């Protein structure tokens, strides 16, 4: 059962301005209520006189809430952190340690790595090395059923964090930051990752931790970089948020994908990290995929796995599909016209049609590159059904019904065309008659799909044209050479509205 969310404050470089920080924390609490803890990344100590710190060290002053800080990032401040394993620095102020995992009684998991990246071994006391990162990763990844951590604290930014996302002003994320931290974030999959040192505020769009249609949906990650306390530019240095520990969350709620989610910025690092696991089978598949040669490939490849038809279908979503050229519909492609996107789910998305047959003509499309519904996973088909149900209710409220069709001919990416028609002008039987008449004129046989039957059982892997409307009666035909691409357009002229 879900518990109460924790209210957390995160802060950038304090640089010895303790009074300014804690006065601000008290003001926030007075306005918004009590917070459970304060997490500080970047330089906690600075070049200011030690008089201010001495008041906290001797308990003359006290931090208003439990405060957890990272270690030194330079040789000048190393002496403030006497124990590499962490210790109490003052009342309510705790040094987490050089690296590790902090778990509170609530179950919240906070992974941390102190210092800046070192290019040598052993790393100095104010730096971390590849060995430190490996040890931290191993300690967590060896945990049974590890899904990720709730929060990751580092001082440097991860290298490349701006890839696929919003840009952090003038900063070049390809050059600044740490590659080791990019690799760490790839493995630990933090729900929140905080960093500092660059004296600017940057909240990146959330990014995925799974490969769409190849892996089960996972939670998203959010990276937030915070500015330094008391900066004259008034950039944000204190970030407030509420978080329910991962272990207390409903799994379906945990993996919900926000509409502005992007691809993983450390994609390359992730692929390299998992390369030994993805050898041969997964990497050989793309070279054999020719979208307009399905009838030849189908039937030759499946028996080779020795598991029979049903098991082969279960393995289909694991194939890596690659477009033969630029694809306008892969959501991660720079060619997709994102201003037309209406809604993004876990496996599919909804978009307005460009040059549609009507003003409210929409498309249901897979996020990954798949040519036909017969190639989709059961999870993707289930999400398509949810979109269809939602569109049915929406168009019904507008006095319309919809016709849905798929024509995976001369197109590399599955497009389910959803076209609403007025209830008052187009009866379901009229729609059926229009398509059948046009099919007969083109010498095409439209076969009705039995109720509750799966199109995958009828298509035999061939290219198909499927037709479905609001009464859930469906037809299909196998596409042959010179299939008329304008068939669907002609049907509307048969029964104008």
């Amino acid at each position: 059962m879900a518990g109460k969310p924790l209210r957390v404050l995160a802060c950038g470089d304090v640089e010895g301005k303790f009074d300014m920080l804690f006065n601000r924390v008290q003001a926030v609490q007075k306005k918004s209520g009590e917070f459970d803890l304060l997490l500080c990344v970047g330089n906690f100590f600075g070049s200011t006189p030690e008089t201010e710190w001495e008041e906290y060290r001797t308990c003359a002053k006290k931090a208003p809430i439990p405060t957890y800080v990272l270690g030194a990032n330079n040789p000048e401040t190393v002496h403030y952190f006497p124990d590499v394993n962490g210790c109490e620095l003052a009342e309510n102020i705790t040094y987490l340690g050089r690296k590790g995992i902090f778990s509170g009684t609530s179950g919240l998991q906070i992974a941390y790595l102190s210092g800046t990246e070192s290019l040598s071994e052993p790393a100095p006391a104010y730096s971390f090395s590849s060995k430190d990162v490996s040890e931290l990763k191993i300690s967590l990844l060896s945990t049974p059923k590890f899904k990720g951590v709730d929060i990751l604290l580092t001082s440097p930014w991860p290298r490349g964090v701006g890839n696929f996302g919003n840009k952090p002003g003038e900063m070049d994320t390809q050059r600044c930051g740490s590659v080791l931290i990019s690799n760490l974030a790839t493995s630990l999959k933090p729900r929140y990752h905080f960093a500092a040192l660059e004296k600017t505020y940057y909240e990146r769009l959330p990014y995925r931790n799974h490969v769409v249609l190849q892996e089960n949906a996972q939670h998203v990650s959010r990276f937030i970089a915070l500015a330094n306390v008391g900066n004259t530019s008034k950039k944000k240095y204190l970030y407030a948020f509420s978080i329910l520990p991962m272990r207390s969350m409903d799994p379906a709620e945990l993996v919900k994908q926000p509409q502005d989610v992007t691809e993983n910025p450390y994609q390359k690092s992730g692929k390299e990290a998992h390369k030994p696991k993805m050898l041969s089978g997964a990497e050989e598949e793309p070279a054999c995929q020719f979208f307009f040669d399905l009838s030849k490939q189908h039937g030759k490849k499946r028996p080779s796995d020795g598991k029979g038809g049903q098991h082969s279908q279960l393995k289909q979503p694991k194939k890596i599909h690659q477009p033969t050229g630029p694809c306008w519909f892969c959501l991660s492609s720079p060619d997709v016209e994102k201003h037309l996107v209406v809604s993004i789910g876990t496996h599919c998305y909804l978009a307005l049609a460009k040059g549609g047959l009507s003003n409210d003509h929409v498309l249901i499309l897979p996020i990954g590159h798949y040519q036909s519904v017969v190639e989709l996973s059961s999870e993707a088909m289930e999400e398509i059904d949810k979109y269809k149900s939602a569109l049915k209710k929406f168009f019904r409220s507008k006095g319309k019904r919809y016709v849905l069709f798929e024509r995976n001919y001369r197109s590399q990416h599955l497009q389910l065309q959803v076209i609403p028609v007025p209830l008052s002008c187009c009866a379901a039987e009229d729609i059926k008659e229009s398509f059948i008449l046009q099919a007969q004129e083109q010498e095409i046989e439209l076969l009705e799909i039995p109720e509750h039957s799966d199109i995958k059982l009828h298509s035999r892997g061939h290219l198909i044209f499927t037709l479905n409307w609001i009464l859930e009666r469906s037809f299909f035909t196998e596409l042959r050479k010179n299939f008329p691409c304008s068939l669907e357009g002609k049907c509307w002229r048969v029964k104008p509205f």
Side-chain angles (χ1 to χ4, degrees):
M1 184 176 179
K4 184 180 178 183
L6 289 165
R7 305 187 72 216
V8 182
L9 289 171
C11 178
D13 303 272
V14 180
E15 297 180 334
K17 298 176 181 177
F18 309 113
D19 287 344
M20 186 176 291
L21 168 63
F22 293 135
N23 288 340
R24 177 63 180 153
V25 169
Q26 287 177 319
V28 169
Q29 291 199 121
K30 186 176 181 180
K31 181 179 179 180
S32 305
E34 297 293 315
F35 282 80
D36 296 291
L37 66 159
L38 169 64
L39 305 173
C40 296
V41 293
N43 293 313
F44 189 66
F45 295 99
S47 56
T48 55
E50 295 189 13
T51 308
E52 196 172 312
W53 170 244
E54 195 64 19
E55 291 181 303
Y56 288 92
R57 192 185 67 81
T58 59
C59 299
K61 291 182 178 179
K62 175 185 173 183
I65 60 174
T67 302
Y68 299 89
V69 308
L70 294 181
N73 297 298
N74 51 66
E76 292 77 25
T77 56
V78 169
H79 68 278
Y80 288 108
F81 306 96
D83 189 345
V84 295
N85 296 315
C87 59
E88 186 177 68
L89 301 179
E91 187 174 0
N92 250 5
I93 301 177
T94 302
Y95 164 47
L96 288 168
R98 186 161 181 167
K99 65 179 184 294
I101 183 80
F102 174 80
S103 298
T105 55
S106 64
L108 188 74
Q109 279 201 319
I110 304 173
Y112 56 89
L113 181 66
S114 292
T116 55
E117 181 175 338
S118 172
L119 300 177
S120 61
E121 291 275 7
Y126 54 89
S127 297
F128 58 84
S129 65
S130 58
K131 181 181 178 182
D132 292 316
V133 172
S134 295
E135 289 176 353
L136 180 54
K137 286 164 60 174
I138 291 170
S139 67
L140 286 160
L141 296 178
S142 60
T143 306
K145 298 181 180 179
F146 176 77
K147 295 180 180 179
V149 297
D150 292 300
I151 299 171
L152 172 62
L153 304 178
T154 63
S155 287
W157 291 28
R159 177 76 59 86
V161 69
N163 294 339
F164 309 116
N166 51 316
K167 302 303 178 184
E170 298 179 357
M171 285 197 58
D172 184 358
T173 59
Q174 296 295 337
R175 295 187 177 184
C176 80
S178 164
V179 173
L180 290 178
I181 289 179
S182 299
N183 293 335
L184 182 66
T186 301
S187 298
L188 299 194
K189 303 174 185 177
R191 293 165 64 199
Y192 285 88
H193 179 182
F194 293 98
L197 295 184
E198 301 297 340
K199 301 186 183 302
T200 191
Y201 170 71
Y202 169 55
E203 182 170 4
R204 192 202 184 280
L205 292 173
Y207 63 84
R208 298 186 187 93
N209 283 302
H210 64 280
V211 180
V212 175
L213 291 181
Q214 295 176 33
E215 299 173 330
N216 292 330
Q218 298 180 45
H219 61 273
V220 301
S221 290
R222 290 173 167 84
F223 172 78
I224 298 111
L226 296 164
N228 50 310
V229 173
N231 65 87
T232 55
S233 302
K234 295 186 177 180
K235 294 178 180 178
K236 190 170 184 176
Y237 64 83
L238 198 62
Y239 186 93
F241 65 107
S242 294
I243 184 169
L244 190 64
M246 189 182 298
R247 75 177 192 182
S248 303
M249 290 188 68
D250 176 73
E253 191 69 26
L254 178 65
V255 301
K256 276 188 176 180
Q257 307 290 298
Q259 288 199 358
D260 57 352
V261 68
T262 76
E263 294 298 321
N264 193 308
Y266 322 120
Q267 221 168 37
K268 185 177 179 181
S269 299
K271 287 178 181 177
E272 288 173 354
H274 292 87
K275 196 169 183 179
K277 299 180 183 178
M278 293 178 61
L279 212 53
S280 64
E283 299 213 336
E284 288 174 6
E285 287 291 344
C288 302
Q289 295 299 313
F290 297 93
F291 293 102
F292 294 99
D293 199 21
L294 289 178
S295 59
K296 292 183 180 180
Q297 294 291 337
H298 192 94
K300 289 184 179 181
K301 290 182 69 67
R302 286 193 177 184
S304 65
D305 62 17
K307 293 185 179 180
Q310 186 175 2
H311 292 284
S312 299
Q313 285 187 16
L314 293 174
K315 295 191 77 172
Q316 271 187 306
K318 295 183 182 296
K319 294 179 182 177
I320 301 175
H321 297 256
Q322 297 291 342
T324 57
C327 181
W328 296 346
F329 302 105
C330 286
L331 195 57
S332 60
S333 168
D335 297 301
V336 70
E337 300 197 44
K338 291 185 171 63
H339 67 282
L340 297 174
V341 174
V342 177
S343 170
I344 302 174
T346 305
H347 305 284
C348 307
Y349 72 99
L350 186 72
L352 292 171
K354 186 177 181 180
L357 296 176
S358 65
N359 290 335
D360 39 12
H361 179 175
V362 295
L363 310 176
I364 305 174
L365 309 107
I367 291 173
H369 194 80
Y370 287 83
Q371 189 188 9
S372 168
V373 291
V374 300
E375 297 178 355
L376 294 182
S377 65
S378 58
E379 292 85 0
M381 288 300 299
E382 184 178 328
E383 191 164 275
I384 284 176
D385 288 338
K386 289 180 180 178
Y387 270 124
K388 288 166 60 178
S389 177
L391 288 170
K392 176 180 177 180
K393 291 179 182 177
F394 171 73
F395 287 131
R396 178 69 66 172
S397 72
K398 302 296 181 182
K400 299 179 181 182
R401 60 164 57 90
Y402 70 67
V403 177
L404 182 147
F405 63 83
E406 172 199 3
R407 172 182 48 79
N408 61 334
Y409 178 64
R410 294 185 184 174
S411 70
Q412 297 184 17
H413 196 112
L414 165 63
Q415 305 155 49
L416 291 176
Q417 311 278 344
V418 184
I419 298 141
V421 295
L423 285 167
S424 58
C425 298
C426 290
E429 289 304 317
D430 292 334
I431 296 170
K432 172 184 175 182
E433 183 181 352
S434 295
F435 273 95
I436 290 177
L437 284 174
Q438 283 299 316
Q440 288 173 349
E441 286 185 18
Q442 301 292 334
E443 298 183 351
I444 293 171
E445 182 183 12
L446 280 180
L447 304 174
E448 184 164 6
I449 301 172
E451 190 176 3
H452 306 306
S453 181
D454 189 346
I455 182 62
K456 296 179 183 180
L457 302 178
H458 299 273
S459 68
R460 301 195 299 276
H462 297 158
L463 301 170
I464 57 171
F465 171 85
T466 62
L467 169 66
N468 174 274
W469 58 83
I470 207 70
L471 297 181
E472 296 304 325
R473 295 181 63 182
S474 303
F475 287 78
F476 84 103
T477 187
E478 292 176 356
L479 302 189
R480 298 181 294 276
K481 187 178 180 180
N482 299 323
F483 181 83
C485 294
S486 59
L487 174 63
E488 58 270 22
K490 290 182 180 179
C491 295
W492 302 119
R493 292 194 287 273
V494 170
K495 188 71 179 181
F497 55 88

